[in-house]
Amino acid sequence: MDALVDTVIFLGKFLYYFLESLVFKIIPKRRKNVAGEIVLITGAGSGLGRQLAMKFASHKATVVLWDINQESNMETCRLAKEKGDVKVFAYKCDCSNRQEVYRVADQVREEVGDVTILINNAGIVTGKPFLDIPDHVAERSFYVNAIAHFWTCKAFLPAMIKDNHGHLVCISSIAGLVGINGLSDYSASKFAAFGFAESLFLELNLLKKTKIKTTIVCPFFIKTGMFDGCTTKYPLILPLLEQDYVAQKIFNAILEEQVYLIIPKFAYVALLLKQIISPKMIIVLGEYLGVDTCMTSFKGKTIAPELPCDIERKHQ
């Protein structure tokens, strides 16, 4: 009897939410107002992080910028302040260093207030075959691209839970949903970031903290220095994405409280096919789309040598 009741309740809720999703496809959700929200963006010194900072600044949010490169971070700060009468705060922070994240987080709480929108954007990419990746670089990929999300969420989520108000944004990647040749460490770390964000979304739902929203973003390659030299075989199907276009899509998704954002839309088709076709068919599809050779001419950014935090971790 219990199974029957559970099934009826499940089908009723499932149908209701299905119809709700169809309605929101036709009638967009009312966008939330981010004016006065305290928005923290990691990796804000350039690329997507800088574009997002300017989007939020132009909508009167208080913007907190974190980046390991203080000079570029201050340039983002200057550009964001040009958007009008807005409060912008820049901090130097190596997000891969747990102690530094907690220290700077304390400073932010004291000088700015409790963060209400956290955007985990900082990332690095190696772009080398697996056996050519130095151990410390592989470790750093995980610390920056995934484990840093643990530290930032631990630092700022308690205040969100207390107030039942906030928004967690994870910038993952298409490479966090599909393994890509030449991106073994990057792809693995982005899979980890996606899994962490999705698990946290479900955990908060179970805790009935429904006013804390989650947005998980999986874009294809963006035209930033990180993916300099990457190519695409069919730009009309899988284009290299412009920074401002992606930033606007992410900004819209946050305002509409969208949980998943995959860019471009064709990627939804590829991901569906991945679940139903054979591995050999997946390889053929990848070859057709040029995914197997997209990293051949990769240049990217220079990966830093071992930092003190890397050496310290080796001896822990």
Side-chain angles (χ1 to χ4, degrees), residues 47-64:
L48 187 58
R50 175 173 290 178
Q51 295 294 324
L52 286 170
M54 292 189 286
K55 299 287 183 191
F56 279 99
S58 65
H59 283 70
K60 307 302 180 184
T62 297
V63 183
V64 180

Side-chain angles (χ1 to χ4, degrees), residues 16-271:
Y16 174 81
Y17 289 127
F18 174 72
L19 294 174
E20 182 186 64
S21 66
L22 290 181
V23 169
F24 286 137
K25 292 292 183 184
I26 302 170
I27 306 172
K29 282 185 179 180
R30 181 182 177 184
R31 294 187 171 195
K32 67 181 178 184
N33 183 10
V34 295
E37 300 284 353
I38 299 177
V39 183
L40 189 149
I41 305 169
T42 68
S46 61
L48 187 58
R50 175 173 290 178
Q51 295 294 324
L52 286 170
M54 292 189 286
K55 299 287 183 191
F56 279 99
S58 65
H59 283 70
K60 307 302 180 184
T62 297
V63 183
V64 180
L65 312 172
W66 279 15
D67 202 281
I68 196 170
N69 187 322
Q70 181 71 339
E71 183 178 350
S72 61
N73 207 30
M74 291 306 298
E75 176 62 12
T76 301
C77 183
R78 182 188 69 79
L79 292 170
K81 285 182 176 179
E82 289 180 353
K83 294 298 178 180
D85 184 20
V86 60
K87 295 178 181 178
V88 186
F89 302 84
Y91 297 87
K92 181 178 180 179
C93 184
D94 176 5
C95 293
S96 71
N97 187 319
R98 173 167 49 91
Q99 289 82 4
E100 189 166 335
V101 167
Y102 291 162
R103 177 182 61 78
V104 181
D106 287 339
Q107 191 177 351
V108 169
R109 277 190 292 269
E110 182 178 339
E111 297 175 359
V112 186
D114 288 325
V115 169
T116 54
I117 300 178
L118 171 62
I119 303 177
N120 278 304
N121 168 71
I124 59 172
V125 57
T126 311
K128 294 182 178 180
F130 169 64
L131 292 178
D132 293 341
I133 303 172
D135 290 348
H136 79 275
V137 173
E139 288 179 345
R140 189 156 182 78
S141 292
F142 271 89
Y143 274 102
V144 175
N145 297 343
I147 297 177
H149 297 206
F150 283 73
W151 314 148
T152 56
C153 287
K154 280 212 169 186
F156 299 114
L157 184 56
M160 295 184 191
I161 290 177
K162 181 181 177 183
D163 297 334
N164 193 21
H165 175 78
H167 203 134
L168 302 175
V169 182
C170 167
I171 308 298
S172 183
S173 170
I174 288 294
L177 297 170
V178 178
I180 295 180
N181 177 46
L183 288 175
S184 56
D185 59 334
Y186 180 81
S187 188
S189 62
K190 288 297 188 177
F191 263 87
F194 183 97
F196 169 68
E198 191 171 56
S199 294
L200 199 51
F201 161 67
L202 296 171
E203 186 173 316
L204 290 167
N205 183 69
L206 187 62
L207 292 172
K208 307 300 182 184
K209 297 299 179 179
T210 55
K211 298 296 180 67
I212 302 175
K213 305 301 179 179
T214 300
T215 297
I216 309 171
V217 184
C218 296
F220 189 58
F221 299 147
I222 306 171
K223 292 182 182 178
T224 66
M226 277 183 63
F227 284 100
D228 185 26
C230 289
T231 59
T232 180
K233 189 175 179 181
Y234 296 114
L236 290 177
I237 300 176
L238 278 179
L240 297 178
L241 303 169
E242 298 291 343
Q243 295 179 46
D244 186 65
Y245 170 78
V246 177
Q248 188 61 55
K249 285 285 188 181
I250 295 171
F251 186 70
N252 292 343
I254 293 170
L255 296 189
E256 295 169 7
E257 298 179 343
Q258 186 175 337
V259 178
Y260 300 102
L261 174 64
I262 301 176
I263 316 170
K265 288 188 179 297
F266 173 77
Y268 285 98
V269 178
L271 290 169

